[in-house]
Amino acid sequence: MAFDVHKIRTDFPILHREVNGHPLVYLDNAATSQKPQQVIDSIVDYYSNYNANIHRGVHSLSQEATNAYEAARKKIQLHFNSKHNHEILFTSGTTHGINLVANGFSSLLKSGDEIIVSAMEHHSNIVPWQMLCEHTGAVLKVIPMNEEGTLILSAYDKLLSQKTKLVFVNHISNALGTINPIKTIIEKAHAFGAAVLIDGAQSCSHIKPDLQELDVDFYVTSAHKMCGPTGVGILYGKEVWLNKLPPYQGGGEMIKEVTFEKTTYAELPHKFEAGTPNICGGIAFGAAIDYLNTIGFDAIEAYEKELLNYATQQLLAIEGLKIYGTGSAKTSVISFNIEGIHPYDIGTIVDKLGIAVRTGHHCAQPIMDFYKIPGTVRASFAFYNTMEEVDKLVEAVTKAKKMLT
Ligand code: 7TS
C-alpha cells in the first residue's frame, strides 16, 4: 500500500490549525513530536474511565489500571525486543534514564577509571557523566568527529583500554541527524569489558532498534519524541546490570520489606520505580507504539529519506546556505545557516509564516564550538510532513534571506 501522508495527517488534530495566520508547518519534531488522536484518546479514556493508583489496590479499578500499565510495558518490550519484561523501566524520559545509570555507577567506579562519550552528545548525555567523574575521580574521554559530522572510529579505538568502564553515545545526533554506527561501537567496547549506554532520544521515532541484536547494556528514550506524551520514557537495562546497580530513589513500591533497621528492595523493575509513576503516560506511550507500528517503521524510514533528500536538495539551492551534518548515514534532520545571518533571525521570520523550526545550539554546545558557530536553524521532519511543506520552508527561508541581507 502506498504511503498516504494526507490520510496520516487526519490523525493529528494540531496539524490543522493556523499559526500567525498561516497553516502550521511543524518542523520541530526533534524537540517533540505531535500526537495522533489515538494517543489523545487513550489519555482521555484513562482519566474518564479507569483512573486509579496501580500495584497496590485490591479493588477492581486499581486492577484495571495496573493491567493497562503493565500491558504497555509488555508492548514496549516486544517493540524493542528486550529479553525480559522486567528489563524495561519506566522513567520520566531520556534525561531521567541517563541520570539513573550515572547515579548507579557512582558506587561501581573508582578513581582512574575511564568513561567515553562522543563529541556529538546532547547536554543530558554529557553533564551527568561529568558529575559522575567529579564524584568518583573517573576520567571523561571524547570520541572526536570530522567536518561532515561523523564520529572518527579510529580515534575511538585509541581511547579504549582496560581502564574503560563505560561508553555513552547517542544513536542519532539531535543537532546533525547523523546515525552513529552503534553496533560497532558496542562491539568494540565489549571487547574491553566496558558497558555501553545508547541515548535513543532521537532514534526511536525514525527506526526500530532491536536491543538483543544490538547487545546493548542500556538504552534510553522519551515517549514524547515518538508521538507519545511528555513526562514518560524508558530505560532498558540488561538484567545483569540492573541487578548490579543500586536503586536510584527510595520510596513506596520499590521495597520488599522496611524496618527502621534495614530495608530490602523489590525485584526488577520495581526496585527502580519508586513512588506513583506517570500511569497515564505509560499507557499512552503504549498507544503511541501501537500507532507507529500500524504505519510501520519500514514505511516511515523510506518516506523520511525522500523528505530528507528533497529538502536537502532544495535548501542547498539557496546561495550561501550551508548544511551541518553531511555524512551518508543520516536521518531527516537538517541543521543549516546562511552566511552572514544569525539563525535566530531566520527562525523568527519563518515563524511569522507559520513554520516552526528550532534555532540555537540545540543543547549540543560542543558541536557548535566545533564548527565555530553560535547555533543553527534546525528543520526536523516527521513522517506526517509533506513535500509541499518542504517547499514552504524553502520559500520562507529565501524570503528571510532577502529581508536580512
Ligand atoms: N538526548 C538527545 C539526543 C536529545 O535529542 C534530547 C532532547 C535528550 C537527550 C533529552 O530528552 P528529554 O526527553 O529527557 O528532554 N532533545 C531536544 C532537542 O533536540 N530539542 O529539544 C529537545
Side-chain angles (χ1 to χ4, degrees):
M1 208 175 72
F3 190 84
D4 187 349
V5 68
H6 295 288
K7 181 165 179 296
I8 286 169
R9 287 174 72 83
T10 62
D11 292 332
F12 292 81
I14 205 170
L15 297 180
H16 306 293
R17 67 162 281 182
E18 292 196 343
V19 168
N20 296 324
H22 298 270
L24 168 67
V25 175
Y26 186 76
L27 303 178
D28 195 17
N29 294 287
T32 199
S33 62
Q34 295 303 346
K35 321 303 170 199
Q37 191 63 50
Q38 290 83 338
V39 169
I40 298 168
D41 286 347
S42 79
I43 294 168
V44 174
D45 183 37
Y46 170 74
Y47 283 118
S48 309
N49 295 313
Y50 61 101
N51 169 49
N53 212 330
I54 56 170
H55 297 141
R56 50 195 100 197
V58 291
H59 63 81
S60 303
L61 215 55
S62 171
Q63 289 296 335
E64 252 183 69
T66 303
N67 292 346
Y69 190 67
E70 290 306 328
R73 195 193 306 268
K74 187 75 196 165
K75 261 179 217 173
I76 294 165
Q77 180 207 347
L78 295 176
H79 178 79
F80 289 106
N81 192 28
S82 75
K83 189 168 176 196
H84 303 293
N85 190 241
H86 56 251
E87 292 173 319
I88 302 292
L89 313 182
F90 279 114
T91 62
S92 68
T94 302
T95 304
H96 176 192
I98 294 169
N99 278 280
L100 189 159
V101 177
N103 190 274
F105 269 87
S106 65
S107 62
L108 301 181
L109 293 187
K110 58 180 189 319
S111 179
D113 284 343
E114 292 181 359
I115 299 177
I116 298 177
V117 297
S118 93
M120 60 174 83
E121 297 307 313
H122 186 277
H123 295 164
S124 71
N125 211 13
I126 300 174
V127 184
W129 312 122
Q130 288 173 328
M131 288 159 67
L132 176 60
C133 287
E134 266 172 40
H135 289 142
T136 59
V139 181
L140 197 68
K141 305 260 168 171
V142 182
I143 312 169
M145 65 178 201
N146 62 20
E147 197 58 32
E148 61 175 36
T150 303
L151 292 178
I152 304 172
L153 289 189
S154 56
Y156 174 50
D157 285 334
K158 293 199 184 99
L159 293 178
L160 282 164
S161 76
Q162 297 300 335
K163 289 187 193 165
T164 312
K165 298 294 176 241
L166 292 164
V167 175
F168 304 102
V169 177
N170 60 39
H171 196 164
I172 292 181
S173 156
N174 69 318
L176 302 172
T178 307
I179 305 173
N180 287 315
I182 59 166
K183 177 101 177 125
T184 309
I185 288 170
I186 293 164
E187 276 168 9
K188 284 176 187 281
H190 284 173
F192 287 89
V196 182
L197 182 148
I198 298 295
D199 171 353
Q202 290 297 333
S203 49
C204 299
S205 53
H206 303 291
I207 49 189
K208 183 172 170 169
D210 181 328
L211 298 175
Q212 286 187 75
E213 203 260 324
L214 286 169
D215 195 27
V216 65
D217 303 290
F218 300 99
Y219 197 100
V220 287
T221 197
S222 301
H224 72 93
K225 310 261 194 207
M226 347 176 20
C227 296
T230 52
V232 65
I234 54 140
L235 160 63
Y236 158 79
K238 265 188 197 159
E239 185 183 56
V240 54
W241 277 112
L242 293 180
N243 280 329
K244 267 188 226 175
L245 295 190
Y248 181 42
Q249 291 179 320
E253 284 307 298
M254 53 77 73
I255 56 91
K256 200 178 266 167
E257 246 178 340
V258 178
T259 66
F260 282 111
E261 286 70 43
K262 188 173 166 52
T263 290
T264 50
Y265 303 123
E267 301 296 318
L268 295 172
H270 307 294
K271 171 181 150 189
F272 291 101
E273 295 184 346
T276 300
N278 182 350
I279 303 165
C280 175
I283 293 167
F285 189 6
I289 286 198
D290 281 345
Y291 180 80
L292 290 172
N293 281 321
T294 308
I295 295 171
F297 276 86
D298 288 345
I300 290 174
E301 258 190 86
Y303 179 70
E304 288 181 346
K305 188 95 202 145
E306 280 179 42
L307 279 174
L308 174 68
N309 291 343
Y310 181 62
T312 303
Q313 185 200 338
Q314 296 301 308
L315 283 168
L316 283 176
I318 300 174
E319 217 187 298
L321 187 143
K322 178 176 166 150
I323 291 178
Y324 301 89
T326 52
S328 54
K330 201 181 155 175
T331 193
S332 51
V333 171
I334 304 182
S335 249
F336 64 91
N337 274 330
I338 296 180
E339 215 180 341
I341 304 179
H342 198 282
Y344 179 82
D345 295 334
I346 297 176
T348 307
I349 292 177
V350 304
D351 175 59
K352 295 276 173 283
L353 300 166
I355 301 173
V357 291
R358 187 171 168 189
T359 61
H361 55 58
H362 315 298
C363 301
Q365 274 183 348
I367 298 181
M368 304 303 139
D369 292 346
F370 175 84
Y371 289 114
K372 300 188 174 54
I373 51 176
T376 68
V377 181
R378 183 187 68 182
S380 50
F381 302 88
F383 59 89
Y384 44 71
N385 288 125
T386 64
M387 300 295 167
E388 295 82 57
E389 288 182 315
V390 173
D391 291 337
K392 282 187 184 169
L393 171 71
V394 174
E395 209 178 291
V397 172
T398 308
K399 202 167 182 176
K401 185 189 160 192
K402 274 202 192 110
M403 286 169 72
L404 296 164
T405 48

